[in-house]
């Protein structure tokens, strides 16, 4: 999440750059804009019965205006800078803008439309300028610096002192110490990157939604269930849309090799040629980012970006890769042999290709572990998974309870709402669950807030999870794969991190942590999906009511280490591409994205034909439109933390309220209020170890 803060002088420029339509919308009576009027609903949750797309632009501009006025008041204050008149005033300057953008970006990801898309395009450079105008404001930084330098003399609690340090760090990292000339150049670069990033996201959304395949002959869908075929039918043919990753879920069951190849080729080339080609955007953004790093005094963008993270430097990230790659390659090599043997056993004489992997890996899984995905799915009906699995685990660990609410307005009919309560019955917050894929939603899965926890603002959290499971045909149950089960546990792990935030200040509450820490609670929560007591409570056959058998449960666990060489390699490929793109120097000129990718993977010994990157550069939304530039490694980093933490739980009795409470108090409730390595060590009593992750992956 971004914190948008600025000076009043920028307001006229922001408004003067509006389109004619924006000017027209801005003539609306601001006082009646539902985004600017305090919600009367419980928890201050947005009233989606009143909010329309046309309300966003004028509300955001008004939020900027209010923040500008607050910032100008800080800079013009003639009193000596102190915590209250500088840091606290700065923290609260964004309150209204935070409220509006929380809803705007929530819908931009989960239920967009043409108006919102146009707003995003127009606002991207404005937000960049808005942010720069405060972080590069010399007058304001002088005041922040004064408070920071006199911190030892201030009578402040630990959280308030930490907040001062965070603001000083953020200003310094943004370039507040630069000359005015360099600041102006940096503002230009930031604005251009923001626009390019927005363009990338828009092109990629279109490429994914419109870049799938159409199968005219039903025979080409052999392997699919009748229910799935029915869900794909459109105008007498069958449309398979792309999901955001390279590999497509449909490749697992499609028996027709030519259809598999067509779908895979569409996926891997969705954005490297033609109307939706993002190659030029990739080259421009990486060049600009390297120039930005140089202005800020760093050798490359990754070195600048990793400040304040647990990893700290690119060398430490590459060293992690170095330690993981050999074992992953060995595991992948054995998997390739197994899969090729399965192909040959069926009398085929072709060499394993990337688009064959999922299909034949599933056959190996069935033969090796006697585990059939079609036998598993009937036990994973979505509502059962949510209520009797995800929620049940949270109750057992943390004592919280859940009540479904049907009286809270939502932004789409598919969204479900639950109220959360503490063990003593007191209110904790509201949860929105949005689980089905649709054209108005981007791919992937994520968590965010409509309302963020803050004692200062007297706010309890309103949090949402978004996933992209296939919606069943009318009247059919929503049966999901075990991968999708794990995703639901994962995203609710983020939600718990947000719900348990116990901070005074919104900007450091809950999930407002470093990227290589924020995925830790979510990945940790995945572990409970296979804990026998949890699994037996939610894995119930939707027809027979039969609880999943011990034998089938063991098969799921045994199969958990299968295909992990592949999984690690595809992740390492993308993580390495991210770091390679962001460790180029400003003097390097990259002319071709595909060639750069090939050389980057070759240099890391990750250039396997059978295992492509999880994301190629041209559709790598995490790093080119999602805020994870030089940060995709964090998924592996936090996976290490998550398995090590679960190892601690194993050593201390696993699923107990006592253990859950300790984890809540010492990790989940801390937000960004202390050093992350120290936080983890306080919880576990030691530094994290990589061995539990390697063992869980079957790599050791």
């Amino acid at each position: 999440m971004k914190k948008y803060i600025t000076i009043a002088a920028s307001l006229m420029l922001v408004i003067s750059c509006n389109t004619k339509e924006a000017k027209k919308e801005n003539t609306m009576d601001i006082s009646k804009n539902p985004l600017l009027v305090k919600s009367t609903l419980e928890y201050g949750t947005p009233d989606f019965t009143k909010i329309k797309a046309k309300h966003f632009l004028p509300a955001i501009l008004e939020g900027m205006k209010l923040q500008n006025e607050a910032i100008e008041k800080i800079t013009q204050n003639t009193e000596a800078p102190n915590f209250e008149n500088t840091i606290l005033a700065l923290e609260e300057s964004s309150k209204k803008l935070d409220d509006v953008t929380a809803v705007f970006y929530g819908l931009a990801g989960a239920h967009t439309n043409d108006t919102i898309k146009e707003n995003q395009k127009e606002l991207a450079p404005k937000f960049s300028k808005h942010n720069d105008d405060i972080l590069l404001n010399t007058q304001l930084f002088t005041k922040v610096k004064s408070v920071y330098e006199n911190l030892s003399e201030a009578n402040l609690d630990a959280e308030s002192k930490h907040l001062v340090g965070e603001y000083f760090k953020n200003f310094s990292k943004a370039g507040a110490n630069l000359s005015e000339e360099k600041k102006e150049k940096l503002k230009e670069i930031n604005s251009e990157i923001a626009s390019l990033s927005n363009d990338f996201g828009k092109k990629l959304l279109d490429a994914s939604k419109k870049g799938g395949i159409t199968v005219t002959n039903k025979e080409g869908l052999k392997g699919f269930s009748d229910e799935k075929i029915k869900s794909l039918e459109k105008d007498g043919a069958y449309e398979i849309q792309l999901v955001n990753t390279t590999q497509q879920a449909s490749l697992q069951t499609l028996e027709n090799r030519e259809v598999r190849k067509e779908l895979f080729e569409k996926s891997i080339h969705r954005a490297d040629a033609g109307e939706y080609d993002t190659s030029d955007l990739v080259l421009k953004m990486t060049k600009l980012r390297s120039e930005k790093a140089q202005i800020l005094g760093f050798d490359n963008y990754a070195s600048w970006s990793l400040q304040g993270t647990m990893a700290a430097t690119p060398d430490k990230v590459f060293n992690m890769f170095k330690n993981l790659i050999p074992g992953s390659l060995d595991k992948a090599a054995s998997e390739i042999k197994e899969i090729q043997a399965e192909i040959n056993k069926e009398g085929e004489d072709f060499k394993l290709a990337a688009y064959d992997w999922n299909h034949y890996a599933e056959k190996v899984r069935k033969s090796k572990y006697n585990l059939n995905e079609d036998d598993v799915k009937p036990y994973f009906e979505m509502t059962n998974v949510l209520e009797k699995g995800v929620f049940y685990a949270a109750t057992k660990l943390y004592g919280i309870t859940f009540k479904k609410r049907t009286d809270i307005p939502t932004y789409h009919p598919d969204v479900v709402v639950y109220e959360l309560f503490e063990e003593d019955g007191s209110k904790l917050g509201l949860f929105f669950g949005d689980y089905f894929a649709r054209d108005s939603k981007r791919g992937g899965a994520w968590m965010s807030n409509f309302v963020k926890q803050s004692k200062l603002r007297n706010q309890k959290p309103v949090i949402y999870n978004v996933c992209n499971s296939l919606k069943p045909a009318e009247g059919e149950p929503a049966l999901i794969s075990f991968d999708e089960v794990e995703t639901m546990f994962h995203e609710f792990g983020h939600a718990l991190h947000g719900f348990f935030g116990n901070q005074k200040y919104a900007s450091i509450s809950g999930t407002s942590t470093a990227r290589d820490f924020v995925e830790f609670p979510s990945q940790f929560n995945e572990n409970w999906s296979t804990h026998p007591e949890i699994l037996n409570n939610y894995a119930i056959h939707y027809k027979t009511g039969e609880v999943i058998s011990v034998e089938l449960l063991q098969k799921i666990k045994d199969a958990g280490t299968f295909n992990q060489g592949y999984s690690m390699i595809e992740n390492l490929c993308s993580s390495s591409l991210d770091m390679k793109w962001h460790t180029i120097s400003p003097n390097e000129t990259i002319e071709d994205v595909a060639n750069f990718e090939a050389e980057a993977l070759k240099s890391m010994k990750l250039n396997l034909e059978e295992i492509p990157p999880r994301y190629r550069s041209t559709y790598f939304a995490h790093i080119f439109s999602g805020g994870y530039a030089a940060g995709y490694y964090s998924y592996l980093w936090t996976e290490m933390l998550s398995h090590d933490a679960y190892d601690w739980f194993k050593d201390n009795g696993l699923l107990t309220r006592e253990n859950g409470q300790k984890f809540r108090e010492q990790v989940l409730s801390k937000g960004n209020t202390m050093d992350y390595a120290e936080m983890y060590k306080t919880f576990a009593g030691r530094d994290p170890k990589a061995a539990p992750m390697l063992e869980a992956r079957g790599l050791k």
Side-chain angles (χ1 to χ4, degrees):
M1 294 181 188
K2 295 180 179 177
K3 193 82 171 152
Y4 298 108
I5 38 185
T6 189
I7 56 172
S10 70
L11 178 63
M12 294 311 296
L13 178 59
V14 169
I15 294 178
S16 68
C17 294
N18 290 342
T19 62
K20 291 180 180 179
E21 183 62 26
K23 288 180 180 178
K24 179 180 177 182
E25 290 180 350
N26 206 36
T27 62
M28 297 169 55
D29 187 347
I30 287 294
S31 67
K32 296 181 180 179
N33 190 311
L35 288 160
L36 297 171
V37 177
K38 185 175 177 60
S39 173
T40 59
L41 299 180
E42 292 177 76
Y43 300 93
T45 192
D47 189 345
F48 291 106
T49 63
K50 299 177 180 178
I51 297 169
K52 309 298 180 186
K54 66 181 181 180
H55 294 133
F56 284 117
L57 188 57
I60 289 171
L61 292 176
E62 180 68 12
M64 287 181 177
K65 174 186 174 184
L66 294 172
Q67 191 170 30
N68 290 335
E69 292 170 350
I71 296 301
E72 185 174 30
K73 185 176 180 180
I74 297 172
T75 59
Q76 298 304 312
N77 191 337
T78 58
E79 296 178 2
N82 58 38
F83 179 80
E84 286 75 19
N85 66 24
T86 301
I87 304 300
L88 188 58
L90 185 55
E91 172 75 10
E92 286 302 277
S93 68
S94 65
K95 171 68 170 70
K96 185 56 67 176
L97 191 56
D98 288 347
D99 293 344
V100 178
T101 54
V103 183
F104 176 68
Y105 284 111
L107 268 61
H111 193 40
T112 193
N113 56 42
D114 290 341
T115 300
I116 292 175
K117 290 177 185 177
E118 285 303 311
N119 288 169
Q120 282 184 282
K121 182 177 179 63
E122 180 175 345
L123 286 167
K126 291 177 171 55
F127 274 134
S128 176
K129 175 175 171 45
H130 193 61
N131 201 39
D132 284 344
D133 278 347
I134 183 170
L135 292 174
L136 300 179
N137 182 329
T138 302
Q139 283 181 288
L140 187 56
F141 178 58
T142 299
K143 288 177 175 287
V144 171
K145 186 177 181 181
S146 175
V147 178
Y148 177 74
E149 290 177 341
N150 293 286
L151 196 54
S152 61
E153 301 171 13
N155 184 24
L156 297 173
D157 58 79
E159 184 182 335
S160 297
K161 287 184 176 180
H162 188 83
L163 182 71
V164 175
E166 284 298 296
Y167 271 110
F168 180 76
K169 181 183 71 177
N170 291 338
F171 272 83
S172 300
K173 184 177 179 180
N177 287 307
L178 295 175
S179 67
E180 293 304 315
E181 181 182 358
K182 287 186 176 180
K183 285 181 181 178
E184 289 306 311
K185 178 62 177 175
L186 192 59
K187 289 178 183 179
E188 291 176 12
I189 289 175
N190 287 341
S191 179
E192 189 170 357
I193 290 174
S195 292
L196 293 170
S197 178
N198 183 74
D199 291 345
F200 183 97
K202 186 176 184 302
K203 273 195 174 186
L204 181 54
L205 179 63
D206 290 339
S208 298
K209 295 299 181 186
K210 301 174 184 177
I213 64 172
T214 299
V215 179
T216 56
N217 187 346
K218 191 175 180 179
E219 289 300 310
L221 301 178
K222 187 177 180 182
F224 283 172
S225 66
D226 290 339
E227 290 82 6
K228 182 164 186 177
I229 291 174
K230 184 178 179 181
S231 71
L232 299 175
E233 191 171 1
K234 186 175 181 181
D235 299 329
Y238 306 92
E239 291 187 2
I240 304 177
Q241 290 189 342
L242 299 180
V243 296
N244 57 331
T245 53
T246 295
Q247 288 286 15
Q248 304 292 296
S250 296
L251 294 172
Q252 179 175 299
T253 48
L254 279 170
E255 294 186 16
N256 187 303
R257 192 169 191 241
E258 289 305 311
V259 176
R260 289 203 307 270
K261 181 178 180 181
E262 182 185 4
L263 180 59
F264 179 82
E265 292 292 332
K266 284 280 191 178
S267 173
I268 204 164
H269 294 300
R270 75 184 78 178
D272 60 12
E275 182 181 357
Y276 306 120
D277 190 354
T278 63
S279 301
D280 191 47
L281 297 174
V282 169
L283 294 176
K284 287 179 179 178
M285 271 191 276
T286 50
K287 181 71 171 176
L288 286 168
R289 285 171 177 170
S290 66
E291 291 175 4
K292 173 177 178 173
Q294 184 180 52
I295 291 172
L296 289 162
F298 290 82
D299 293 335
N300 52 63
Y301 184 85
S303 295
W304 171 80
S305 179
L306 289 172
Q307 296 175 84
T309 64
M310 290 186 75
T313 67
D315 285 345
K316 286 188 179 180
V317 176
F318 279 117
N319 190 55
M320 178 181 71
F321 296 163
K322 181 181 177 182
N323 291 331
L324 292 174
I325 287 172
S328 300
L329 287 173
D330 289 344
K331 181 74 170 174
S334 66
E335 291 168 358
I336 289 171
K337 289 180 181 178
E338 284 185 293
I339 294 173
Q340 187 64 56
E342 183 69 25
I343 293 171
N344 298 341
K345 187 176 76 174
E346 293 195 356
E348 304 289 357
D349 60 359
F350 57 80
K351 181 178 180 294
L352 169 66
Y355 51 85
D356 297 314
W357 189 290
N358 285 4
H359 184 68
Y360 286 95
E362 181 60 18
K363 290 177 180 287
V364 173
R365 188 196 306 272
K366 289 176 182 177
S367 61
K368 188 173 182 178
Y369 301 101
N370 193 24
L371 183 65
N372 188 326
E373 188 70 44
D374 289 336
D375 293 335
V376 172
K377 274 189 173 182
Y379 289 94
F380 300 136
E381 192 280 321
M382 183 178 285
T383 301
N384 262 358
V385 172
L386 179 64
E387 296 182 347
K388 297 182 178 181
V390 176
F391 291 170
Y392 179 71
T395 300
K396 297 293 290 185
L397 285 165
Y398 311 111
I400 60 175
T401 54
F402 304 79
K403 176 185 177 183
K404 191 168 187 178
R405 296 288 298 267
T406 57
D407 58 328
I408 303 292
T410 63
Y411 56 86
H412 191 276
D414 288 344
V415 178
V416 292
V417 182
Y418 293 84
E419 187 173 13
L420 279 64
F421 300 90
E422 295 280 16
E423 195 167 25
D424 64 4
S426 59
K427 294 175 180 288
L428 179 59
L430 276 184
F431 173 73
F432 285 61
D434 184 358
Y435 295 106
F436 294 124
R438 54 178 171 269
D439 287 345
S440 61
K441 182 191 289 186
R442 66 176 171 86
W446 63 95
M447 163 270 178
S448 195
N449 307 68
F450 285 131
V451 180
K452 203 170 185 184
Q453 182 273 332
S454 168
K455 293 179 182 176
L456 178 67
R457 298 179 180 179
N458 195 29
Q459 293 177 177
K460 292 185 181 295
V462 178
I463 291 173
Y464 58 91
N465 278 177
V466 182
C467 296
N468 266 283
S469 296
L470 183 68
K471 188 175 182 178
E474 187 69 29
E476 297 295 330
L479 305 180
I480 59 178
S481 69
F482 187 68
D483 282 347
E484 291 172 311
V485 170
E486 288 187 315
T487 298
M488 290 179 70
F489 273 85
H490 177 103
E491 297 307 331
F492 198 72
H494 282 307
L496 289 169
H497 198 186
F499 279 121
F500 292 155
N502 191 32
Q503 282 64 60
K504 186 175 183 179
Y505 309 110
S507 67
I508 56 175
S509 171
T511 57
S512 298
T513 65
R515 287 173 305 197
D516 59 3
F517 191 84
V518 75
E519 294 294 333
F520 162 39
S522 56
Q523 296 205 63
F524 167 77
N525 205 53
E526 290 180 35
N527 288 291
W528 302 111
S529 63
T530 54
H531 185 281
E533 184 177 347
I534 305 300
L535 192 69
N536 289 338
N537 196 63
Y538 75 85
I540 301 171
H541 199 286
Y542 81 101
K543 284 185 177 178
T544 67
E546 173 191 7
V547 177
I548 195 167
S549 67
V550 174
E551 293 76 19
L552 189 53
L553 169 58
Q554 192 58 49
K555 287 178 184 178
I556 292 173
K557 286 187 171 183
D558 291 343
T561 60
F562 175 71
N563 219 31
Q564 289 303 308
Y566 181 98
S567 177
M568 282 293 288
I569 293 297
E570 68 164 0
N571 187 311
L572 284 164
C573 283
S574 291
S575 296
S576 296
L577 285 177
D578 175 26
M579 292 304 294
K580 287 289 187 179
W581 277 119
H582 293 110
T583 49
I584 61 174
S585 74
N587 299 324
E588 289 183 71
T589 300
I590 313 299
E591 296 182 349
D592 185 88
V593 172
N595 287 342
F596 179 86
E597 277 192 355
E599 289 302 315
L601 295 176
K602 184 178 179 181
S603 71
M604 300 293 290
K605 299 181 180 179
L606 292 170
N607 53 327
L608 280 68
E609 290 183 10
E610 301 90 345
I611 308 180
R614 185 170 177 80
Y615 303 97
R616 287 189 63 210
S617 304
T618 50
Y619 50 91
F620 204 164
H622 285 78
I623 68 172
F624 292 120
S625 66
Y628 268 70
Y632 193 71
Y633 78 91
S634 61
Y635 287 96
L636 288 173
W637 188 279
T638 53
E639 184 182 346
M640 173 188 69
L641 297 178
S642 72
H643 284 298
D644 188 66
Y646 193 64
D647 209 47
W648 180 93
F649 269 74
K650 288 179 182 176
D651 292 340
N652 289 275
L654 272 178
L655 189 70
T656 69
R657 273 288 291 116
E658 183 181 6
N659 288 344
Q661 194 64 24
K662 178 179 172 67
F663 190 64
R664 173 177 178 171
E665 290 176 358
Q666 297 182 353
V667 177
L668 297 179
S669 68
K670 292 297 185 182
N672 174 17
T673 60
M674 63 186 293
D675 177 82
Y676 303 115
E678 180 185 338
M679 187 190 302
Y680 188 86
K681 195 168 184 177
T682 298
F683 160 69
R686 53 172 171 72
D687 292 326
K689 307 184 298 290
M693 179 181 79
L694 298 176
E695 290 170 6
R697 288 266 195 168
L699 301 177
K700 183 178 180 181

